[in-house]
Amino acid sequence: MPPKLYYLPVVLAIVLTGVVGFQLGRAAPPSEGDVIERWAAEYVAWAGADAKATDCFAMPGGGEVWIVITCVPKAPQQTITYAVMRDGNLAQPGKMSIKSDA
């Protein structure tokens, strides 16, 4: 066997390690902060000019719900709640809980 082929297993192991590391890094779930920021931004886009991301707070969920994000504007006519799963998506897509005091 030529001497260059002795390095082939080492090169293949390095390449395989790189591919596996890349796949694991890509599949990592979002952090709590990332999820809260994302849904707070959704709230601001939905609620309009007076809304701020600081109107939102998060609490632990239960079951399939990982985090419950509640956004309350300064004049709380409407409160919006997002039930978010571990992957960062809504537990029930298309459904947000909007409570109105009117």
Side-chain angles (χ1 to χ4, degrees):
M1 184 158 64
K4 291 181 182 180
L5 290 180
Y6 288 123
Y7 296 106
L8 185 62
V10 174
V11 170
L12 289 176
I14 290 170
V15 169
L16 181 63
T17 302
V19 169
V20 170
F22 177 75
Q23 291 295 331
L24 289 175
R26 225 179 52 179
S31 70
E32 291 176 2
D34 293 339
V35 170
I36 295 167
E37 285 179 21
R38 173 186 173 199
W39 289 104
E42 286 283 329
Y43 159 74
V44 170
W46 174 81
D50 293 335
K52 295 182 228 159
T54 56
D55 295 344
C56 301
F57 64 93
M59 297 181 64
E64 73 173 357
V65 176
W66 177 43
I67 299 174
V68 177
I69 301 166
T70 304
C71 300
V72 182
K74 293 204 187 260
Q77 298 88 357
Q78 289 186 330
T79 300
I80 187 166
T81 303
Y82 300 100
V84 183
M85 297 184 303
R86 185 68 179 102
D87 63 358
N89 294 316
L90 290 179
Q92 295 177 341
K95 291 190 177 182
M96 301 178 287
S97 173
I98 301 173
K99 296 176 187 170
S100 180
D101 293 339

